Amino acid sequence: MTALFENNMTSSGENLATAIVPLMKLISLTIIGLILAHPKSQIIPKATFKLLSKLVFALFLPCLIFTELGESITLENFALWWFIPVNVLVSTIIGFFLGLLVVAICKPPPQFNRFTIIMTAFGNTGNLSLAIVGSVCHTKDSPFGAHCHSRGVAYVSFAQWVAVILVYTLVYHMMEPPLQFYEIVGEGIEIEEQRPATDVSRPLLVEAEWPGIEDKETEHAKTPFIARIFNSISNLSQTNFPDIDLSGDGSANSPRSIRCLAEPRVVRRIRIVAEETPIRHILQPPTIASLLAIIIGMVPQLKAFVFGYDAPLSFITDSLEILGGAMVPSVMLILGGMLAEGPNESTLGLRTTIGISVARLLVLPLLGIGIVALADKLNFLVQGDSMYRFVLLLQYTTPSAILLGAIASLRGYAVKEASALLFWQHVFALLSLSLYIVIYFKLLSYI
């Protein structure tokens, strides 16, 4: 009995160390970035961190995704991994309802109701998950086997395209300024947000996951565009905000035959909104790398030509793999630089900030354990693959996506509130991630 107790204690200690050490590595990298970027030391200027974020976005991350996903994906795996993108949708839907609950309980300022729901629903399913997987697998006694890193990166990358589509469609429109709180000066003259004079003065948070965001702004980016489009046919909001000109070929001066064929006003409004949706931004370097990896990986002839020790183009993939290795440390250094800027002043309220953080970092992971366990019982998951389950659980555990801060800046809505909330969430996530990674390792040890 004593020997059995000692073995259990030893096993528990090893599991605890295996779970905590990878996260401590990431924290160490983040602290280094914080020290380098701290305003008092200024060892490395903010402009350098912005350049590093562009390298991650345009080079390091696409290289990592292409080499690991392309080598792991096959036509059979594509069919087996179907629950990974579905799990992103499930976690977002659950987060959406948790956000509604936070709004009902914490009662944020009315203009931040949608913001509260968004920040609760959409987590960081990309860079942070890749960093955690990379750190967990960067150990001699990895609990996930010999191909830990390649499988983990492949699983995380396979989920990213769903999150990207949601951000550039649903989140983009949900983050438009609320019409009833949008200030108007004079007759139809909108207040324009003052932009920073230089690119260096722009917060690192804005460009941490979307470099060059200032070039993506459209004519209606910082206006309540959808609300203005549908304002004349909705009685929900009464405002003197000028309606957007919807006149076209179906005007009163058109011939009767043309007017009969003109599209209805509601259909025209929906079409205009669709045209203003920045769906073109989905084709960013990481997404393109994912698509190329999936296409090449599912065609055996192409895969044999690009991937493998004897492949004719193996020297290219080896070079890309070397570049991809810089992704994890670079991302954590950038995160440290972001935290070094400190939290901005926020009018969201302490109660709402705590409510979002608790819902996102404590409640949602508990619900995620139940969802993944149910999916396992229904045989939706790859049998006997603990890394597959670990990545699914991570999708419920990470803080809100840093990309939401960039979208907030693009739309001119809750910019300071997004910055402050993301700062505090990533600070609190150090504790919540430690807790849940230990729990996950315990659960996965029984598989």
Side-chain angles (χ1 to χ4, degrees), residues 51-75:
L51 178 60
L52 183 60
S53 70
K54 292 181 180 180
L55 284 172
V56 169
F57 181 77
L59 184 61
F60 299 156
L61 180 57
C63 289
L64 180 67
I65 291 174
F66 180 78
T67 54
E68 301 296 352
L69 179 59
E71 193 167 7
S72 301
I73 193 76
T74 62
L75 193 58

mmCIF file of all heavy atoms in Angstrom, residues 51-75:
data_model
loop_
_atom_site.group_PDB
_atom_site.id
_atom_site.type_symbol
_atom_site.label_atom_id
_atom_site.label_comp_id
_atom_site.label_asym_id
_atom_site.label_seq_id
_atom_site.Cartn_x
_atom_site.Cartn_y
_atom_site.Cartn_z
ATOM 1 N N LEU A 51 7.686 45.642 -36.464
ATOM 2 C CA LEU A 51 8.305 44.927 -37.574
ATOM 3 C C LEU A 51 8.306 43.426 -37.320
ATOM 4 O O LEU A 51 8.038 42.627 -38.230
ATOM 5 C CB LEU A 51 9.746 45.429 -37.779
ATOM 6 C CG LEU A 51 10.560 44.747 -38.875
ATOM 7 C CD1 LEU A 51 9.888 44.924 -40.235
ATOM 8 C CD2 LEU A 51 11.981 45.295 -38.906
ATOM 9 N N LEU A 52 8.555 43.027 -36.073
ATOM 10 C CA LEU A 52 8.543 41.613 -35.723
ATOM 11 C C LEU A 52 7.147 41.023 -35.906
ATOM 12 O O LEU A 52 6.999 39.893 -36.388
ATOM 13 C CB LEU A 52 9.012 41.430 -34.275
ATOM 14 C CG LEU A 52 9.115 39.990 -33.769
ATOM 15 C CD1 LEU A 52 10.100 39.189 -34.612
ATOM 16 C CD2 LEU A 52 9.532 39.975 -32.295
ATOM 17 N N SER A 53 6.115 41.793 -35.550
ATOM 18 C CA SER A 53 4.745 41.304 -35.729
ATOM 19 C C SER A 53 4.421 41.104 -37.207
ATOM 20 O O SER A 53 3.706 40.166 -37.583
ATOM 21 C CB SER A 53 3.742 42.268 -35.091
ATOM 22 O OG SER A 53 3.680 43.478 -35.820
ATOM 23 N N LYS A 54 4.949 41.966 -38.063
ATOM 24 C CA LYS A 54 4.741 41.805 -39.501
ATOM 25 C C LYS A 54 5.462 40.562 -40.018
ATOM 26 O O LYS A 54 4.945 39.854 -40.892
ATOM 27 C CB LYS A 54 5.231 43.051 -40.239
ATOM 28 C CG LYS A 54 4.390 44.290 -39.978
ATOM 29 C CD LYS A 54 4.895 45.499 -40.744
ATOM 30 C CE LYS A 54 4.040 46.726 -40.456
ATOM 31 N NZ LYS A 54 4.494 47.919 -41.189
ATOM 32 N N LEU A 55 6.652 40.287 -39.489
ATOM 33 C CA LEU A 55 7.378 39.079 -39.885
ATOM 34 C C LEU A 55 6.615 37.827 -39.464
ATOM 35 O O LEU A 55 6.534 36.854 -40.215
ATOM 36 C CB LEU A 55 8.776 39.078 -39.264
ATOM 37 C CG LEU A 55 9.807 40.007 -39.909
ATOM 38 C CD1 LEU A 55 11.082 40.045 -39.081
ATOM 39 C CD2 LEU A 55 10.118 39.556 -41.332
ATOM 40 N N VAL A 56 6.053 37.851 -38.256
ATOM 41 C CA VAL A 56 5.265 36.707 -37.787
ATOM 42 C C VAL A 56 4.069 36.493 -38.702
ATOM 43 O O VAL A 56 3.781 35.367 -39.134
ATOM 44 C CB VAL A 56 4.800 36.929 -36.337
ATOM 45 C CG1 VAL A 56 3.766 35.876 -35.940
ATOM 46 C CG2 VAL A 56 5.984 36.857 -35.391
ATOM 47 N N PHE A 57 3.365 37.577 -39.008
ATOM 48 C CA PHE A 57 2.131 37.495 -39.783
ATOM 49 C C PHE A 57 2.385 37.061 -41.226
ATOM 50 O O PHE A 57 1.645 36.231 -41.783
ATOM 51 C CB PHE A 57 1.446 38.866 -39.757
ATOM 52 C CG PHE A 57 0.149 38.920 -40.503
ATOM 53 C CD1 PHE A 57 -1.009 38.386 -39.965
ATOM 54 C CD2 PHE A 57 0.066 39.529 -41.748
ATOM 55 C CE1 PHE A 57 -2.205 38.449 -40.649
ATOM 56 C CE2 PHE A 57 -1.124 39.608 -42.433
ATOM 57 C CZ PHE A 57 -2.267 39.056 -41.879
ATOM 58 N N ALA A 58 3.426 37.607 -41.829
ATOM 59 C CA ALA A 58 3.659 37.396 -43.262
ATOM 60 C C ALA A 58 4.646 36.286 -43.570
ATOM 61 O O ALA A 58 4.680 35.797 -44.705
ATOM 62 C CB ALA A 58 4.152 38.697 -43.906
ATOM 63 N N LEU A 59 5.445 35.850 -42.579
ATOM 64 C CA LEU A 59 6.503 34.882 -42.879
ATOM 65 C C LEU A 59 6.530 33.705 -41.917
ATOM 66 O O LEU A 59 6.328 32.556 -42.327
ATOM 67 C CB LEU A 59 7.857 35.594 -42.868
ATOM 68 C CG LEU A 59 9.076 34.750 -43.262
ATOM 69 C CD1 LEU A 59 8.933 34.241 -44.695
ATOM 70 C CD2 LEU A 59 10.358 35.557 -43.109
ATOM 71 N N PHE A 60 6.787 33.953 -40.633
ATOM 72 C CA PHE A 60 6.999 32.860 -39.686
ATOM 73 C C PHE A 60 5.768 31.970 -39.546
ATOM 74 O O PHE A 60 5.859 30.739 -39.628
ATOM 75 C CB PHE A 60 7.397 33.410 -38.305
ATOM 76 C CG PHE A 60 8.677 34.197 -38.306
ATOM 77 C CD1 PHE A 60 8.932 35.154 -37.331
ATOM 78 C CD2 PHE A 60 9.645 33.997 -39.287
ATOM 79 C CE1 PHE A 60 10.110 35.890 -37.331
ATOM 80 C CE2 PHE A 60 10.825 34.725 -39.304
ATOM 81 C CZ PHE A 60 11.049 35.672 -38.318
ATOM 82 N N LEU A 61 4.603 32.582 -39.316
ATOM 83 C CA LEU A 61 3.378 31.803 -39.132
ATOM 84 C C LEU A 61 2.978 31.045 -40.398
ATOM 85 O O LEU A 61 2.674 29.843 -40.324
ATOM 86 C CB LEU A 61 2.243 32.719 -38.666
ATOM 87 C CG LEU A 61 0.888 32.050 -38.427
ATOM 88 C CD1 LEU A 61 1.008 30.938 -37.408
ATOM 89 C CD2 LEU A 61 -0.143 33.085 -37.977
ATOM 90 N N PRO A 62 2.965 31.666 -41.594
ATOM 91 C CA PRO A 62 2.648 30.890 -42.804
ATOM 92 C C PRO A 62 3.614 29.729 -43.037
ATOM 93 O O PRO A 62 3.186 28.650 -43.465
ATOM 94 C CB PRO A 62 2.755 31.930 -43.931
ATOM 95 C CG PRO A 62 2.504 33.226 -43.274
ATOM 96 C CD PRO A 62 3.096 33.106 -41.903
ATOM 97 N N CYS A 63 4.904 29.942 -42.763
ATOM 98 C CA CYS A 63 5.879 28.855 -42.939
ATOM 99 C C CYS A 63 5.587 27.693 -42.000
ATOM 100 O O CYS A 63 5.639 26.521 -42.391
ATOM 101 C CB CYS A 63 7.294 29.370 -42.696
ATOM 102 S SG CYS A 63 7.909 30.458 -43.999
ATOM 103 N N LEU A 64 5.268 28.009 -40.737
ATOM 104 C CA LEU A 64 4.962 26.956 -39.764
ATOM 105 C C LEU A 64 3.713 26.193 -40.166
ATOM 106 O O LEU A 64 3.685 24.949 -40.134
ATOM 107 C CB LEU A 64 4.783 27.585 -38.378
ATOM 108 C CG LEU A 64 4.454 26.613 -37.247
ATOM 109 C CD1 LEU A 64 5.645 25.695 -36.966
ATOM 110 C CD2 LEU A 64 4.050 27.357 -35.987
ATOM 111 N N ILE A 65 2.669 26.912 -40.548
ATOM 112 C CA ILE A 65 1.418 26.263 -40.949
ATOM 113 C C ILE A 65 1.628 25.380 -42.170
ATOM 114 O O ILE A 65 1.176 24.225 -42.209
ATOM 115 C CB ILE A 65 0.336 27.329 -41.222
ATOM 116 C CG1 ILE A 65 -0.079 28.008 -39.921
ATOM 117 C CG2 ILE A 65 -0.870 26.706 -41.917
ATOM 118 C CD1 ILE A 65 -1.043 29.162 -40.122
ATOM 119 N N PHE A 66 2.313 25.905 -43.175
ATOM 120 C CA PHE A 66 2.480 25.155 -44.424
ATOM 121 C C PHE A 66 3.274 23.863 -44.202
ATOM 122 O O PHE A 66 2.876 22.795 -44.685
ATOM 123 C CB PHE A 66 3.179 26.028 -45.461
ATOM 124 C CG PHE A 66 3.396 25.343 -46.777
ATOM 125 C CD1 PHE A 66 2.362 25.199 -47.683
ATOM 126 C CD2 PHE A 66 4.635 24.818 -47.107
ATOM 127 C CE1 PHE A 66 2.548 24.549 -48.898
ATOM 128 C CE2 PHE A 66 4.839 24.172 -48.318
ATOM 129 C CZ PHE A 66 3.795 24.035 -49.216
ATOM 130 N N THR A 67 4.376 23.947 -43.472
ATOM 131 C CA THR A 67 5.237 22.765 -43.315
ATOM 132 C C THR A 67 4.579 21.695 -42.448
ATOM 133 O O THR A 67 4.637 20.504 -42.778
ATOM 134 C CB THR A 67 6.589 23.155 -42.721
ATOM 135 O OG1 THR A 67 6.389 23.889 -41.495
ATOM 136 C CG2 THR A 67 7.362 24.022 -43.689
ATOM 137 N N GLU A 68 3.930 22.101 -41.346
ATOM 138 C CA GLU A 68 3.365 21.114 -40.424
ATOM 139 C C GLU A 68 2.012 20.594 -40.891
ATOM 140 O O GLU A 68 1.756 19.387 -40.860
ATOM 141 C CB GLU A 68 3.235 21.719 -39.018
ATOM 142 C CG GLU A 68 4.545 22.207 -38.421
ATOM 143 C CD GLU A 68 5.551 21.085 -38.188
ATOM 144 O OE1 GLU A 68 5.194 19.907 -38.337
ATOM 145 O OE2 GLU A 68 6.706 21.396 -37.866
ATOM 146 N N LEU A 69 1.141 21.483 -41.345
ATOM 147 C CA LEU A 69 -0.176 21.039 -41.813
ATOM 148 C C LEU A 69 -0.051 20.262 -43.110
ATOM 149 O O LEU A 69 -0.704 19.232 -43.293
ATOM 150 C CB LEU A 69 -1.098 22.243 -41.992
ATOM 151 C CG LEU A 69 -2.522 21.954 -42.496
ATOM 152 C CD1 LEU A 69 -3.247 21.014 -41.544
ATOM 153 C CD2 LEU A 69 -3.307 23.252 -42.674
ATOM 154 N N GLY A 70 0.787 20.730 -44.032
ATOM 155 C CA GLY A 70 0.939 20.050 -45.320
ATOM 156 C C GLY A 70 1.470 18.641 -45.182
ATOM 157 O O GLY A 70 1.059 17.731 -45.911
ATOM 158 N N GLU A 71 2.379 18.441 -44.221
ATOM 159 C CA GLU A 71 2.950 17.104 -44.042
ATOM 160 C C GLU A 71 1.997 16.158 -43.330
ATOM 161 O O GLU A 71 2.052 14.949 -43.535
ATOM 162 C CB GLU A 71 4.259 17.214 -43.254
ATOM 163 C CG GLU A 71 5.081 15.945 -43.276
ATOM 164 C CD GLU A 71 6.491 16.163 -42.780
ATOM 165 O OE1 GLU A 71 6.793 17.268 -42.287
ATOM 166 O OE2 GLU A 71 7.306 15.229 -42.893
ATOM 167 N N SER A 72 1.099 16.711 -42.486
ATOM 168 C CA SER A 72 0.208 15.860 -41.683
ATOM 169 C C SER A 72 -1.119 15.569 -42.375
ATOM 170 O O SER A 72 -1.705 14.503 -42.167
ATOM 171 C CB SER A 72 -0.064 16.529 -40.333
ATOM 172 O OG SER A 72 1.122 16.745 -39.614
ATOM 173 N N ILE A 73 -1.609 16.502 -43.194
ATOM 174 C CA ILE A 73 -2.939 16.359 -43.775
ATOM 175 C C ILE A 73 -2.938 15.332 -44.905
ATOM 176 O O ILE A 73 -1.998 15.235 -45.689
ATOM 177 C CB ILE A 73 -3.456 17.718 -44.289
ATOM 178 C CG1 ILE A 73 -4.944 17.658 -44.597
ATOM 179 C CG2 ILE A 73 -2.674 18.176 -45.517
ATOM 180 C CD1 ILE A 73 -5.817 17.676 -43.419
ATOM 181 N N THR A 74 -3.984 14.547 -44.940
ATOM 182 C CA THR A 74 -4.273 13.645 -46.059
ATOM 183 C C THR A 74 -5.772 13.692 -46.302
ATOM 184 O O THR A 74 -6.518 14.289 -45.508
ATOM 185 C CB THR A 74 -3.851 12.197 -45.745
ATOM 186 O OG1 THR A 74 -4.604 11.726 -44.611
ATOM 187 C CG2 THR A 74 -2.362 12.093 -45.448
ATOM 188 N N LEU A 75 -6.207 13.068 -47.377
ATOM 189 C CA LEU A 75 -7.637 13.046 -47.659
ATOM 190 C C LEU A 75 -8.389 12.332 -46.544
ATOM 191 O O LEU A 75 -9.486 12.743 -46.136
ATOM 192 C CB LEU A 75 -7.892 12.354 -49.003
ATOM 193 C CG LEU A 75 -9.303 12.511 -49.593
ATOM 194 C CD1 LEU A 75 -9.630 13.983 -49.792
ATOM 195 C CD2 LEU A 75 -9.419 11.749 -50.900
#
